[in-house]
Amino acid sequence: MQQTSANQNHGWLKIFHRASRARRTPGAAHRSQNRHSRHPKTNLGGTLLVHKALLAGELDLYVEYTGTALTAVLNETPQGDSAAVYDRVKLLYSERFHLEVTEPLGFENTFAMVIRGDDAKKLHLQEISDIVPVAPKWRAGVGYEFLERPDGFRGWSDRYNLHFAESPKVMDLGLIYRALVDHQVDIVAGNSTDGLIDSLGLVALADDRHYFPPYDAVPIVRQSTLARFPQLRAALADLAGKLSAADIRRLNYAVDAQHQDAPPSSAPSANPAVCSDDCASQALAALRLPCRTL
């Protein structure tokens, strides 16, 4: 299923990192005017689009979430803890796609069902189960992907027996928290690493029925790429456990609230012979802002 990359013989990596602003903007893959561009590609849309680009050789590696890989790509129902989900994804990605799932980066980015802080305090809401009595009066806001995906809105509302006042409003994720603050909706499906949750005084409800699977962030790389760049395996292993959820929230806050642009990533060396000296720092730069909707 793998195809040879057009850039394969030029000795560089095509890396996709999901910067915060990129994950807010749906759309198809952006192609550089220079077909031999060495810069990371951003703004490639959802998981399935990026997965196809990886299989086609348009990318060499990107960061995915284990729960998303299991449900959206492999179409399996999660079973077990985060280690079990990771092991299953690692095995099947290797067998089916010739892709290597490397060590987790250290943070999980799960769905967060978010409400206004005033409502949480006034109605004593801490867990998702707590909203069952008020749901018939509430309006939900979600992104399109959460509405459609197998671990999304329908399964979540069924698990908790939630019946809202109307069908969920589908909106751009960049506007979802503002809609909540402005009382256009009463609960939204966000991400646990979103920096705006705390800054806007919002509250993420606990998933007390454990509906959502583990969503550990893991780099996924083509096995052919590892063969071409043997130093890359050690560089990616160096990233294991280096990023916490607090780190990602801080970075997301810098982009979403302070409107800072993600810093440019260092382009990997065009000569694989010298990649061993700075491969780890290049990988860190390229994966500095791993995000996207789950």
Side-chain angles (χ1 to χ4, degrees), residues 32-50:
S32 171
Q33 294 295 327
N34 179 355
R35 68 188 289 261
H36 300 316
S37 170
R38 288 176 286 164
H39 295 291
K41 298 182 181 182
T42 61
N43 198 23
L44 294 188
T47 284
L48 297 181
L49 283 176
V50 184

Side-chain angles (χ1 to χ4, degrees), residues 4-275:
T4 302
S5 166
N7 294 342
Q8 181 168 327
N9 296 323
H10 293 267
W12 54 65
L13 303 175
K14 296 172 294 304
I15 300 172
F16 170 55
H17 70 102
R18 294 172 175 183
S20 286
R21 199 165 284 173
R23 75 186 156 99
R24 302 286 192 250
T25 310
H30 288 259
R31 295 184 179 273
S32 171
Q33 294 295 327
N34 179 355
R35 68 188 289 261
H36 300 316
S37 170
R38 288 176 286 164
H39 295 291
K41 298 182 181 182
T42 61
N43 198 23
L44 294 188
T47 284
L48 297 181
L49 283 176
V50 184
H51 180 70
K52 289 178 180 178
L54 193 64
L55 294 181
E58 297 173 12
L59 300 172
D60 286 301
L61 70 93
Y62 83 109
V63 175
E64 187 53 89
Y65 299 102
T66 52
T68 301
L70 190 69
T71 57
V73 177
L74 297 171
N75 296 313
E76 291 204 358
T77 301
Q79 296 182 356
D81 59 11
S82 81
V85 171
Y86 170 81
D87 289 342
R88 183 67 174 165
V89 170
K90 183 177 179 67
L91 173 67
L92 294 183
Y93 265 58
S94 178
E95 290 181 349
R96 296 185 188 179
F97 309 126
H98 303 292
L99 300 175
E100 186 82 10
V101 177
T102 64
E103 290 84 351
L105 295 175
F107 71 95
E108 181 184 17
N109 188 19
T110 187
F111 283 111
M113 308 312 297
V114 181
I115 64 175
R116 290 180 289 271
D118 290 346
D119 288 340
K121 184 176 181 180
K122 178 176 62 177
L123 300 174
H124 308 288
L125 306 174
Q126 296 180 331
E127 301 174 336
I128 297 174
S129 291
D130 295 337
I131 71 170
V132 172
V134 298
K137 300 179 181 178
W138 276 15
R139 299 152 299 169
V142 301
Y144 176 78
E145 191 171 357
F146 185 73
L147 183 67
E148 296 295 323
R149 55 186 290 157
D151 55 346
F153 182 82
R154 181 175 298 179
W156 170 73
S157 56
D158 288 346
R159 171 71 64 88
Y160 283 94
N161 195 28
L162 295 170
H163 303 280
F164 291 98
E166 56 190 53
S167 297
K169 293 186 177 180
V170 181
M171 58 187 68
D172 185 276
L173 291 177
L175 305 175
I176 204 164
Y177 292 124
R178 179 52 55 189
L180 181 61
V181 170
D182 291 344
H183 291 257
Q184 298 175 28
V185 292
D186 303 293
I187 185 171
V188 299
N191 300 305
S192 61
T193 57
D194 286 337
L196 291 178
I197 294 176
D198 292 337
S199 67
L200 293 176
L202 306 175
V203 171
L205 298 171
D207 181 19
D208 53 301
R209 295 190 180 178
H210 307 290
Y211 171 70
F212 296 115
Y215 293 103
D216 294 305
V218 291
I220 296 179
V221 58
R222 289 164 58 91
Q223 291 176 354
S224 61
T225 299
L226 290 174
R228 286 163 45 218
F229 296 95
Q231 309 94 331
L232 183 59
R233 187 181 297 276
L236 291 173
D238 258 356
L239 302 181
K242 290 294 197 305
L243 287 169
S244 68
D247 292 331
I248 303 303
R249 280 194 295 271
R250 175 177 55 81
L251 294 170
N252 283 337
Y253 178 78
V255 174
D256 292 336
Q258 299 176 328
H259 308 295
Q260 297 180 16
D261 288 330
S265 303
S266 301
S269 169
N271 182 356
V274 301
C275 184

